[in-house]
């Protein structure tokens, strides 16, 4: 970590909102990292944070096995803000008492401000906040000052008199607390005295310098998919070392209509990046023949990708580094926040395992960034809008949107239907509003009538969702006329389809992809 950069550490106690805290801090141009609550005190000292935030969490501080951080954190002299569980834990350590609340608070509440200095500076006497707690701080000693209360929480916000610790029972990071960004801003700028000077242009300069230093005179390979993450990674590395970067674009046979041609043309002609286009479609489709299990599809595609990539990469002389577009949510998800086990829903969409398989040293210039920040960097680097706003596309590609067996004929149908969905979404001006819009070919045939003939043909499901980071997603409420156009065009233009359905499932409980 560059110690010249102002840094806030968020200690994660398992809250569903932890990523939101980091996003809200970064929106105020302050760099922020999420770390497990169990992080060693020496690691915190080495990071030299300018402020610390303790997240919420589902546990009770007085319960056995409740997550705890090193109590030495409260003696570092670093301004610290405890949110919900973080407040309760901080107060417990510093002399307060936490008990189950007689009235649990979930949802909006009115917060009455008793002290409108520092943390609540420039706010009205009453504000709306979002509560989500079953416990509350019942008692603090005379070393604390009460800053705010609600009807059910007399100690809804407190400040320690001798330690730079503040605690708030509500969640300022969620949109349901309209003034939450002001409260976080007051903590960052009035309490912690930060400047808020973290900008993407300085990030680009710093990262390109780090890449040059790390690589030296060696060469770098980058697996290019044409998506936002791999595109920004490739251009950043190219900016740092020029022609010593070779991008490898593997056509796995399950790409969208015209995708391979667009990627090859853009990177060779527009960016002048050294690109190797490997057409391995036949190998992938042979592997998938007769396979219907989604997890098996993913694994077959992942293993074949590694084989093809390795074969191509080994022919590049003096290539010792592999550049990957790993993002911060990927890093966070790879480590359970409080040390417990996490369930595997399915193999990750993106192909993994390359570093271990190939023996390359890894370069991950985006590993500290969220998706919207990556797009901002892409704009700074001059990447075309159609790449920056390309909807996320899974590593296994259309194979997991072709439910059931993957064949060339079924892929033809799916590609045509998918292109219609994307074309109509763009024509309606909704491409940027929607996180993902795509078609899914179901292994379901149904009776239909076309002209005077009876048909028995396939079904296309249309999936459109809105999200910020894909952790959660809501199905998009599309205009009826748009849905009608998608359905009519699909049935009329795609041979083999006589029925179109719209997926109105949110995540959770459903996932965004069907497989």
């Amino acid at each position: 970590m560059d110690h010249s950069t102002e840094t806030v550490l968020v200690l994660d106690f398992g809250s569903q909102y932890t990523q939101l805290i980091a996003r809200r801090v970064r929106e105020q141009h302050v760099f922020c990292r999420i770390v497990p609550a169990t992080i060693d005190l020496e690691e915190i000292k080495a990071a030299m944070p300018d402020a610390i935030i303790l997240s919420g969490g589902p546990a009770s501080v007085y319960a056995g096995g409740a997550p705890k951080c090193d109590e030495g954190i409260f003696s570092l002299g670093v301004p610290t803000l405890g949110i919900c569980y973080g407040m309760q834990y901080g107060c417990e350590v510093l002399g307060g008492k936490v008990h189950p609340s007689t009235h649990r608070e979930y949802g909006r509440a009115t917060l009455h401000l008793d002290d409108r200095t520092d943390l609540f500076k420039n706010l009205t006497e009453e504000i709306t906040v979002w509560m989500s707690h079953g416990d509350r701080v019942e008692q603090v000693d005379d070393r604390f000052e009460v800053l705010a209360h609600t009807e059910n929480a007399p100690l809804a916000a407190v400040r320690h008199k001798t330690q730079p610790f503040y605690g708030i029972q509500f969640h300022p990071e969620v949109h349901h607390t309209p003034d939450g960004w002001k409260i976080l801003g007051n903590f960052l700028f009035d309490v912690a005295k930060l400047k808020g000077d973290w900008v993407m242009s300085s990030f680009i300069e710093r990262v390109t310098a780090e890449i040059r230093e790390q690589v030296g005179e060696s060469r770098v390979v980058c697996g290019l998919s044409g998506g936002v993450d791999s595109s920004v990674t490739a251009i950043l590395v190219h900016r740092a070392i020029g022609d010593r970067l070779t991008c490898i674009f593997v056509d796995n046979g399950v790409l969208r209509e015209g995708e391979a041609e667009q990627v090859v043309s853009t990177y060779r002609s527009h960016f002048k990046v050294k690109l190797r286009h490997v057409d391995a479609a036949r190998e992938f489709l042979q592997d998938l023949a007769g396979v219907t299990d989604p997890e098996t599809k993913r694994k077959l595609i992942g293993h074949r990708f590694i084989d093809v990539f390795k074969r191509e990469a080994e022919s590049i002389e003096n290539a010792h580094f592999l550049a990957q577009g790993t993002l911060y949510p990927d890093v966070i998800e790879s480590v359970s926040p409080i040390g417990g086990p996490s369930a595997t829903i399915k193999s990750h969409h993106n192909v993994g395992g390359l570093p271990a398989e190939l023996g390359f040293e890894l370069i991950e210039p985006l590993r500290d960034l969220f998706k919207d920040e990556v797009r901002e960097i892409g704009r700074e680097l001059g990447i075309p809008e159609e790449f920056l706003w390309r909807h996320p596309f899974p590593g296994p590609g259309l194979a997991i949107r072709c439910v059931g067996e993957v064949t060339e004929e079924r892929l033809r149908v799916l590609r045509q239907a998918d292109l219609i969905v994307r074309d109509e979404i763009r024509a309606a001006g909704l491409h940027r509003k929607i996180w993902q819009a795509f078609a899914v070919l179901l292994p379901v045939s149904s009776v239909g009538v076309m002209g005077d003939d009876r048909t028995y043909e396939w079904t296309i499901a249309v999936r459109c969702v809105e999200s910020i980071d894909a952790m959660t997603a809501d199905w998009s409420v599309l205009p009826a006329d748009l849905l009608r156009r998608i359905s009519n065009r699909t049935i009329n233009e795609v041979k083999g389809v006589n029925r179109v359905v719209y997926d109105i499932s949110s995540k959770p409980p459903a996932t965004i992809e069907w497989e």
Side-chain angles (χ1 to χ4, degrees):
M1 174 58 61
D2 178 6
H3 294 308
S4 65
T5 302
E6 292 179 333
T7 302
V8 174
L9 289 186
V10 178
L11 271 61
D12 185 10
F13 288 92
S15 170
Q16 60 180 319
Y17 301 132
T18 301
Q19 285 198 40
L20 275 179
I21 298 173
R23 293 180 66 85
R24 298 294 172 255
V25 171
R26 290 187 181 193
E27 285 169 2
Q28 308 207 41
H29 300 290
V30 176
F31 182 69
C32 181
R33 284 176 53 213
I34 298 172
V35 296
T38 52
I39 185 173
D40 187 79
L41 185 62
E42 293 306 313
E43 289 186 64
I44 292 180
K45 291 179 180 178
M48 298 171 59
D50 298 279
I52 294 172
I53 297 177
L54 310 180
S55 84
S60 296
V61 295
Y62 49 78
K68 301 181 185 300
C69 63
D70 193 309
E71 295 182 8
I73 287 171
F74 300 102
S75 302
L76 294 177
V78 176
T80 301
L81 175 67
I83 297 174
C84 199
Y85 180 94
M87 172 202 186
Q88 295 165 10
Y89 179 72
C91 288
E92 185 92 355
V93 170
L94 295 172
K97 298 295 181 185
V98 177
H99 297 286
S101 176
T102 53
H103 298 283
R104 296 186 174 203
E105 283 188 295
Y106 294 99
R108 290 178 175 86
T110 299
L111 185 73
H112 305 273
L113 304 182
D114 303 307
D115 183 328
R116 288 191 289 156
T117 60
D118 53 31
L119 197 62
F120 297 117
K121 181 180 176 181
N122 297 326
L123 295 176
T124 58
E125 290 184 6
E126 293 183 356
I127 63 173
T128 299
V129 298
W130 183 261
M131 292 284 196
S132 180
H133 66 98
D135 299 329
R136 69 183 188 188
V137 178
E138 292 279 1
Q139 177 185 341
V140 290
D141 58 28
D142 58 8
R143 290 174 295 174
F144 281 91
E145 296 172 305
V146 179
L147 304 182
H149 67 279
T150 68
E151 183 178 351
N152 292 321
L155 304 176
V158 298
R159 173 178 59 212
H160 199 276
K161 293 179 181 178
T162 60
Q163 302 286 355
F165 174 75
Y166 291 72
I168 53 178
Q169 185 59 71
F170 58 92
H171 289 274
E173 68 272 25
V174 301
H175 288 298
H176 304 303
T177 301
D179 292 311
W181 66 275
K182 294 181 183 178
I183 296 167
L184 286 172
N186 286 338
F187 172 71
L188 297 171
F189 305 124
D190 282 270
V191 175
K193 308 298 182 186
L194 303 183
K195 297 188 290 291
D197 55 5
W198 187 63
V199 292
M200 288 305 162
S201 56
S202 61
F203 174 88
I204 292 171
E205 292 172 10
R206 177 173 61 83
V207 167
T208 51
E210 289 174 354
I211 292 170
R212 286 191 203 102
E213 183 179 356
Q214 182 181 2
V215 171
E217 297 302 315
S218 297
R219 294 186 177 275
V220 178
V221 294
C222 176
L224 188 66
S225 69
V228 180
D229 309 335
S230 71
S231 295
V232 173
T233 297
I235 302 308
L236 267 177
V237 177
H238 186 255
R239 183 185 178 107
I241 64 170
D243 284 347
R244 285 186 289 126
L245 167 71
T246 299
C247 290
I248 298 174
F249 173 59
V250 177
D251 185 345
N252 57 15
V254 285
L255 300 177
R256 292 174 288 198
E257 188 71 32
E259 196 155 26
E261 295 82 1
Q262 183 190 29
V263 170
V264 172
S265 171
T266 300
Y267 283 88
R268 283 181 178 164
S269 304
H270 184 78
F271 290 119
K272 312 298 183 186
V273 171
K274 192 182 295 182
L275 175 67
R276 294 194 181 187
H277 176 204
V278 185
D279 185 355
R282 186 171 299 277
E283 294 177 65
F284 282 89
L285 293 180
Q286 284 176 346
D287 290 342
L288 292 170
V291 177
T292 59
D293 178 68
E295 193 66 12
T296 303
K297 289 182 190 178
R298 291 172 177 277
K299 289 178 179 176
L300 286 171
I301 291 172
H303 291 317
R304 177 60 65 181
F305 182 88
I306 290 170
D307 290 343
V308 173
F309 193 94
K310 181 178 181 181
R311 188 171 67 215
E312 196 67 26
E314 285 178 342
S315 68
I316 301 172
E317 188 178 348
N318 197 32
H320 300 302
F321 295 88
L322 172 69
Q324 287 194 161
T326 308
L327 299 193
Y328 199 37
D330 301 328
V331 176
I332 296 168
E333 287 178 29
S334 68
V335 180
S336 183
I338 53 176
S342 58
T344 298
I345 305 301
K346 58 194 174 189
S347 298
H348 199 273
H349 292 319
N350 298 317
V351 178
L354 287 175
E357 292 283 342
L358 299 175
F360 284 117
E361 187 176 336
L362 204 56
I363 296 174
E364 296 175 306
L366 309 180
R367 64 178 287 112
D368 285 329
L369 302 182
F370 289 102
K371 178 75 80 174
D372 56 331
E373 295 168 334
V374 173
R375 286 197 172 108
E376 190 176 338
I377 286 184
R379 279 191 292 271
E380 293 267 351
L381 294 171
I383 295 177
E385 290 288 307
E386 60 264 29
F387 278 89
L388 287 184
W389 291 97
R390 182 178 184 259
H391 286 177
F393 189 59
L398 297 180
I400 58 169
R401 295 177 181 175
C402 189
V403 181
E405 185 180 3
V406 180
T407 66
E408 291 191 18
E409 172 61 13
R410 298 192 79 219
L411 286 172
R412 176 196 65 78
V413 171
L414 180 55
R415 282 195 180 97
Q416 292 178 8
D418 183 73
L419 185 59
I420 290 171
V421 172
R422 291 185 289 123
D423 280 350
E424 290 295 339
I425 292 296
R426 284 185 183 278
L430 296 175
H431 180 77
R432 290 198 185 184
K433 181 175 185 282
I434 293 173
W435 175 264
Q436 274 177 279
F438 56 91
V440 179
L441 178 59
L442 304 183
V444 175
S445 295
S446 64
V447 175
V449 177
M450 290 187 178
D452 294 324
D453 295 328
R454 177 183 181 275
T455 62
Y456 192 66
E457 296 179 326
W458 285 318
T459 301
I460 286 289
V462 176
R463 181 74 159 141
C464 299
V465 298
E466 295 173 19
S467 181
I468 294 175
D469 49 22
M471 302 293 289
T472 61
D474 291 322
W475 60 277
S476 300
V477 181
L478 300 184
D481 285 347
L482 174 57
L483 289 172
R484 186 177 293 112
R485 285 197 303 274
I486 291 173
S487 177
N488 287 344
R489 282 194 61 192
T490 303
I491 292 172
N492 288 328
E493 298 176 25
V494 183
K495 184 180 178 182
V497 174
N498 69 355
R499 191 176 297 270
V500 175
V501 298
Y502 189 55
D503 183 345
I504 57 170
S505 311
S506 294
K507 176 186 179 181
T511 53
I512 294 176
E513 299 290 346
W514 274 55
E515 290 192 336

